Amino acid sequence: MHIRILGSGAGGGFPQWNCNCKNCLALRSGVFSGPARTQSSIAVSSDNENWVLFNASPDIRAQLESFPPLQPARAVRDTGICAIVIVDAQIDHTTGLLMLREHTEPWDIYCTEAVKDDLTTGFPIFNILGHFRGVNWHEIKTDQSRFEIPQAKGLVFTPIPLKSEAPPYSPHRHNTVPGDNIGMLMEDSKTGKSLFYAPGLGVIEPHVKTTMENADCVLIDGTMWTNDEMSHEGISDKLASEMGHLDQSGKGGILETLNTLSKPRKILIHINNTNPILDESSAERATLVENNIEVSFDGMDIHL
Ligand code: MLT
Ligand code: MN
Ligand code: ZN
């Protein structure tokens, strides 16, 4: 299985257009130790020909151009994307669907009923795409039942229901229903290797921990280092937890759990522009290195 990190940043990307936090300012001034990041998305393939796109970010146009296998040019209009999986209905994971409206056939889109509801009401992207070639919606169930995507040969998917948050525009923002957020365990039937992907992880429930323990690689929520990170520079008093993201460094945080896992390779994704781990010379980044935890970057390839 080949996993390509198309976008390793959280909503807003890095630098964020209106942000002058320490990180964003330093990056723009050319004195930052670390790369810019586009918004949250990955592509996965077992045969290096048919790619499943996980989430469609507002940066998708540049992301597709950055990875030639997604534009194989076999016909006058073509794409290497054979299906799209959406793990939540957040703006940073869905807006890119509008940029894919020129597709020559209906898109095969896999998501839960809760996500489909948001994408046909509060943020009716599916309805809008209906005025182009439309959407073939495939329901992802929340009971952890395995499924395959016919065009993506060699991959088997198990959705893992997660506690996080629905988008700010959703009627269930702070009153989530099953299916508002999922992670995905994906297994390559040839190599037998598996990846657990969860860019929005609010609580590490027992079934999530078990999934992480058994995976060969975990690619999980790296949004914020501390729960109150946004308040440090007076940006916002919103806590990471209110947005459905478990911080890395706090008691019961992501690091604590990752450090109990012996099997998987551990990689963070969906990193917010305020997070000190973006700075490769920071003490926080050094802590991750000491603990054998990697920070994904745009253009990173993972082979399992
Ligand atoms: C999130 O992950 O919490 C959201 O994508 C935030 C946003 O709307 O940008
Ligand atoms: Mn997000
Ligand atoms: Zn910033």
Side-chain angles (χ1 to χ4, degrees):
M1 166 169 37
H2 180 176
I3 299 121
R4 173 72 170 208
I5 308 297
L6 296 172
S8 56
F14 178 52
Q16 180 173 313
W17 68 278
N18 64 345
C19 190
N20 294 297
C21 75
K22 199 164 143 251
N23 285 345
C24 288
L25 263 188
L27 188 85
R28 283 200 203 91
S29 327
V31 296
F32 192 74
S33 307
R37 285 159 201 276
T38 62
Q39 295 167 82
S40 188
S41 179
I42 67 171
V44 181
S45 176
S46 170
D47 60 9
N48 277 303
E49 191 182 339
N50 298 289
W51 294 84
V52 179
L53 180 73
F54 275 79
N55 303 318
S57 100
D59 300 316
I60 193 159
R61 189 180 168 283
Q63 292 171 341
L64 298 188
E65 287 299 318
S66 76
F67 188 45
L70 295 181
Q71 182 43 268
R74 298 161 296 195
V76 66
R77 289 277 165 99
D78 193 21
T79 177
I81 302 171
C82 65
I84 303 172
V85 175
I86 304 285
V87 301
D88 60 46
Q90 296 276 4
I91 304 275
D92 59 345
H93 284 159
T94 56
T95 311
L97 291 174
L98 294 175
M99 277 82 228
L100 301 180
R101 67 192 176 283
E102 298 95 347
H103 195 34
T104 51
E105 44 194 270
W107 275 113
D108 282 303
I109 302 185
Y110 291 71
C111 67
T112 62
E113 183 156 31
V115 166
K116 193 258 286 168
D117 283 350
D118 279 339
L119 297 181
T120 48
T121 56
F123 190 30
I125 287 189
F126 282 8
N127 309 6
I128 296 169
L129 289 174
H131 297 280
F132 297 85
R133 291 294 163 92
V135 170
N136 276 336
W137 173 56
H138 301 264
E139 182 177 4
I140 295 181
K141 297 260 174 46
T142 54
D143 60 1
Q144 300 193 49
S145 46
R146 289 154 65 93
F147 69 95
E148 291 180 29
I149 295 176
Q151 307 93 310
K153 285 179 196 60
L155 295 174
V156 182
F157 303 90
T158 310
I160 308 295
L162 300 177
K163 285 207 164 75
S164 183
E165 286 294 349
Y169 68 79
S170 170
H172 17 106
R173 168 63 166 168
H174 292 304
N175 186 18
T176 53
V177 300
D180 275 329
N181 301 85
I182 57 164
M184 192 67 79
L185 179 72
M186 31 199 134
E187 295 165 82
D188 186 308
S189 35
K190 266 200 312 264
T191 65
K193 301 283 185 194
S194 62
L195 171 82
F196 175 57
Y197 170 62
L201 185 53
V203 182
I204 302 179
E205 300 167 272
H207 73 280
V208 179
K209 177 104 187 280
T210 307
T211 305
M212 288 166 73
E213 281 165 354
N214 295 321
D216 292 290
C217 180
V218 298
L219 180 61
I220 62 166
D221 192 334
T223 311
M224 290 193 202
W225 181 252
T226 43
N227 197 27
D228 64 349
E229 188 170 302
M230 304 270 278
S231 70
H232 294 181
E233 294 185 65
I235 292 170
S236 157
D237 56 9
K238 249 199 242 169
L239 298 174
S241 52
E242 285 169 53
M243 294 186 279
H245 300 290
L246 181 60
D247 63 87
Q248 282 120 54
S249 65
K251 193 165 162 26
I254 298 257
L255 243 68
E256 224 174 71
T257 296
L258 287 181
N259 284 339
T260 66
L261 308 177
S262 50
K263 182 177 173 190
R265 182 174 169 191
K266 305 158 192 175
I267 311 176
L268 299 175
I269 192 164
H270 191 280
I271 302 142
N272 197 54
N273 54 74
T274 50
N275 193 327
I277 65 171
L278 290 176
D279 180 351
E280 290 164 6
S281 63
S282 67
E284 292 84 355
R285 183 61 166 265
T287 302
L288 292 185
V289 173
E290 272 163 35
N291 288 288
N292 230 354
I293 298 167
E294 299 168 63
V295 178
S296 67
F297 53 89
D298 293 18
M300 182 184 195
D301 290 302
I302 304 166
H303 294 275
L304 292 171

